[in-house]
Amino acid sequence: MTKDEVRDLSPDQLRIWRNGRSRAVERFVKIAKDKPINEINEEDGINYCEWWRGRIIAEEAEPKTANKDIGQLNRC
């Protein structure tokens, strides 16, 4: 789905692009558990957003970091 986004990236740019998405998926799986994609539901998404909200309130993360991470899952 994203071949058009990465076709002109250098190997180092591609590594950075992949790493951001991999981290987002790892974090999501940590919250929603490892399950088939067709079993992911709205509650999983809400729990993920609430996890990020808790980190922001605890000053463990910045809002822009959460927004970027959530956005990474938009098209993995």
Side-chain angles (χ1 to χ4, degrees), residues 20-36:
R21 280 150 184 80
S22 294
R23 276 191 306 271
V25 169
E26 287 171 12
R27 290 176 181 141
F28 183 81
V29 168
K30 177 179 164 184
I31 303 306
K33 308 297 179 231
D34 194 10
K35 58 174 109 176

Side-chain angles (χ1 to χ4, degrees), residues 31-67:
I31 303 306
K33 308 297 179 231
D34 194 10
K35 58 174 109 176
I37 196 163
N38 62 338
E39 292 180 16
I40 294 172
N41 57 42
E42 185 177 350
E43 185 178 340
D44 295 325
I46 291 170
N47 290 341
Y48 186 63
C49 290
E50 289 299 321
W51 176 78
W52 269 115
R53 187 172 286 118
R55 292 195 66 205
I56 292 166
I57 290 168
E59 298 182 357
E60 297 171 357
E62 294 292 322
K64 70 179 187 174
T65 304
N67 287 336

